Amino acid sequence: MIRFLDQLTFVFFTLSGTLFFMILKRMLPLRRSRILQILAWVLGVWLSDTVIYSNDIYALVGTMLGMGLYLLVFYRRQVMEKFSVLFVFYPILIAVNYLFQDMGSRLFFSRIEKVGGEVVWDDPTRLLSTGIHTGSIFLRLLFWVGIFLFVKRFLARNALTLPVKMWWLVDVLLLAPMVAVFTIIYFMPGEMIVNYPICVASIFSSIGSMYLAAYIYNSMQTAYHMEEMEKQHRYYEDLLREEERVRSIYHDMKNHLLVLEAASSDSQLVRQSIEELSGQISSYEDYIYTGNRSLDVILRDKARKARALDIDFGAVVRFEDGDFLEPMDISSIFGNALDNAIEACEKLPRQERMITIKTGRIRDMLVIAVENNAAREEAKERGGKRTAKEDAFLHGFGLANIRKSVEKYAGQCNAGMKDGRFVLKIVIPVP
């Protein structure tokens, strides 16, 4: 019977550790190496089973340092995001392991009889000890099942795309449960039952902070979708008006040509009439049909902005195969790329301002290329900083957000200067 319970304990222990690993994996993407991923699972299962006792400074500090190093080595994303995950799950991990370990010990010692103050380890005592340990591991498994379902239901996979400084605000809230659970386990005597409610409160505080992060992300996403819907509505209204106006101009084109032919002797009048006709239909050139409505709206907006700044804007875009990308990711990739390109071109003489964007499918890959002329001095200035603007809180996340959106679909993003031009190339596998 004891052997069976030991085997059952191992199964429960492996399953709970695997759930802990899957929760972290849902928060942060793993390194791409298959060997590192397997090693991350093994170490994640081992880390989840850390035994925590009262006044055990080595287990408390060791678990925190070990988990921090584990996240740094095996997971991608920025260091600040990894610290955020550490601040969320470290209090949960040590509180849960401490609670079930301590409750199991209390239950065991309340059920056995001691001889001379010592435990007599006979067969019934060993069976009771093993059974209580198996039960505590099973309860811990149920807890991680609940946490996994919560994360899967309420926490978006890409919620960590929040700006780093916004994560600072969440981390400040997470300091409370982290410090509380560390302090109560280390300083309070193990016999005091007051440890339990504080540990439970720390767990719920950490979960609440996770929900807060998800709520912030969902609010931003909802606001974005509303803005996109308004843009699309205005886009199609303007498109209908422009098409009616252009059809009207083409309808009268014969009469205009007759006037130009009659006035051919007056070159100034001819030139003025041609310029007037060109001005009337020039705004129609801003409409780029890509096969994707969201991208149509973005390119039309950026083309208008570029034309207002005398930037030569060229687009050869076929994006019918890009429908698997979410509208928010399309906006992040193309919006940020073109905003950066326009910003760079503004600093050049008007005759050097040029942006080219090309997209298309090559076999099973969706390829996006954005090129723009840029000053070498500006590239050097931004080489060591996220942004050259004074307001670093609101700016400078463009390329980082592009990379996050591309990595979400297992794509690759490369950017750099080449022959006086800034070149951004993106390759995303088509599912």
Side-chain angles (χ1 to χ4, degrees), residues 286 288 290 295-303 317 338 357:
D286 295 335
I288 302 171
T290 67
L295 187 55
D296 289 347
V297 175
I298 294 168
L299 292 185
R300 178 227 182 187
D301 179 63
K302 305 308 177 186
V317 181
L338 293 175
I357 176 171

Side-chain angles (χ1 to χ4, degrees), residues 14 55 74 111 115 128 205 239 252 277 284 299 314 346 422:
T14 304
N55 314 122
F74 294 102
R111 293 290 181 180
V115 178
L128 177 63
S205 296
L239 179 60
D252 294 336
L277 283 175
Y284 195 73
L299 292 185
E346 279 187 87
F422 184 82

Side-chain angles (χ1 to χ4, degrees), residues 19 22-24 26-27 88-89 92 141-157 159 167 174 202-216 218:
L19 283 171
M22 292 174 64
I23 291 169
L24 295 183
R26 193 168 184 86
M27 297 287 292
V88 169
F89 287 103
I92 296 177
L141 170 62
L142 294 181
F143 173 85
W144 287 117
V145 168
I147 294 295
F148 176 77
L149 294 176
F150 172 85
V151 171
K152 184 178 180 180
R153 172 65 178 84
F154 293 105
L155 194 61
R157 185 179 290 271
W167 268 111
L174 289 169
S202 297
I203 292 172
F204 279 98
S205 296
S206 297
I207 294 175
S209 298
M210 293 165 57
Y211 182 79
L212 174 63
Y215 179 79
I216 294 174
N218 291 332

Side-chain angles (χ1 to χ4, degrees), residues 131-420:
I132 291 175
H133 180 62
T134 303
S136 65
I137 298 298
F138 177 70
L139 291 176
R140 192 174 70 185
L141 170 62
L142 294 181
F143 173 85
W144 287 117
V145 168
I147 294 295
F148 176 77
L149 294 176
F150 172 85
V151 171
K152 184 178 180 180
R153 172 65 178 84
F154 293 105
L155 194 61
R157 185 179 290 271
N158 54 346
L160 291 182
T161 54
L162 290 173
V164 173
K165 287 195 174 182
M166 193 169 292
W167 268 111
W168 273 108
L169 300 178
V170 178
D171 290 344
V172 169
L173 298 177
L174 289 169
L175 279 176
M178 188 168 186
V179 173
V181 74
F182 185 97
T183 304
I184 196 68
I185 293 177
Y186 176 62
F187 289 104
M188 287 291 182
E191 296 77 14
M192 294 187 65
I193 202 69
V194 71
N195 294 8
Y196 288 11
I198 295 180
C199 286
V200 173
S202 297
I203 292 172
F204 279 98
S205 296
S206 297
I207 294 175
S209 298
M210 293 165 57
Y211 182 79
L212 174 63
Y215 179 79
I216 294 174
Y217 172 79
N218 291 332
S219 298
M220 293 174 60
Q221 193 175 46
T222 301
Y224 163 79
H225 285 310
M226 291 180 64
E227 183 179 354
E228 285 299 302
M229 290 178 63
E230 292 178 0
K231 282 184 179 180
Q232 288 191 9
H233 181 70
R234 292 196 300 268
Y235 169 79
Y236 288 110
E237 282 188 342
D238 292 346
L239 179 60
L240 289 174
R241 285 194 294 267
E242 289 293 326
E243 287 182 345
E244 290 178 1
R245 188 172 65 84
V246 172
R247 283 199 299 268
S248 176
I249 291 174
Y250 282 133
H251 182 266
D252 294 336
M253 189 61 72
K254 289 184 179 180
N255 294 330
H256 292 318
L257 291 175
L258 290 174
V259 171
L260 292 176
E261 184 178 1
S264 59
S265 59
D266 188 346
S267 60
Q268 180 65 29
L269 179 59
V270 172
R271 193 159 45 248
Q272 181 179 350
S273 299
I274 292 175
E275 290 177 356
E276 183 178 347
L277 283 175
S278 298
Q280 288 180 327
I281 64 174
S282 61
S283 61
Y284 195 73
E285 298 174 357
D286 295 335
Y287 291 93
I288 302 171
Y289 298 94
T290 67
N292 184 283
R293 289 186 176 185
S294 297
L295 187 55
D296 289 347
V297 175
I298 294 168
L299 292 185
R300 178 227 182 187
D301 179 63
K302 305 308 177 186
R304 277 189 173 181
K305 187 182 295 185
R307 187 163 59 87
L309 296 170
D310 292 330
I311 298 174
D312 184 3
F313 187 90
V316 180
V317 181
R318 295 188 61 83
F319 211 68
E320 297 88 348
D321 295 314
D323 288 339
F324 66 93
L325 298 177
E326 295 181 7
M328 193 168 187
D329 294 315
I330 294 175
S331 176
S332 178
I333 294 171
F334 288 93
N336 285 306
L338 293 175
D339 282 340
N340 290 344
I342 291 172
E343 179 185 337
C345 286
E346 279 187 87
K347 300 176 182 179
L348 296 174
R350 293 185 181 276
Q351 65 273 13
E352 298 180 15
R353 299 178 179 180
M354 183 172 65
I355 298 174
T356 303
I357 176 171
K358 298 179 181 179
T359 72
R361 178 171 178 169
I362 300 179
R363 295 185 180 179
D364 293 330
M365 293 293 176
L366 186 65
V367 181
I368 302 169
V370 181
E371 299 183 12
N372 62 272
N373 290 341
R376 293 184 180 273
E377 292 76 10
E378 182 193 358
K380 292 179 181 178
E381 180 183 8
R382 293 192 60 180
K385 299 193 300 182
R386 192 185 70 237
T387 178
K389 296 183 179 180
E390 294 180 1
D391 187 356
F393 183 83
L394 295 177
H395 299 97
F397 298 102
L399 190 56
N401 287 340
I402 292 174
R403 292 187 189 279
K404 288 178 183 177
S405 295
V406 171
E407 289 176 356
K408 180 178 173 182
Y409 301 93
Q412 295 184 350
C413 174
N414 295 309
M417 292 293 295
K418 182 179 180 181
D419 300 328

Side-chain angles (χ1 to χ4, degrees), residues 24-44:
L24 295 183
K25 180 183 175 183
R26 193 168 184 86
M27 297 287 292
L28 293 169
L30 285 165
R31 303 284 184 187
R32 291 191 175 91
S33 170
R34 181 65 63 182
I35 296 176
L36 287 179
Q37 291 179 0
I38 295 173
L39 189 57
W41 171 71
V42 173
L43 293 179

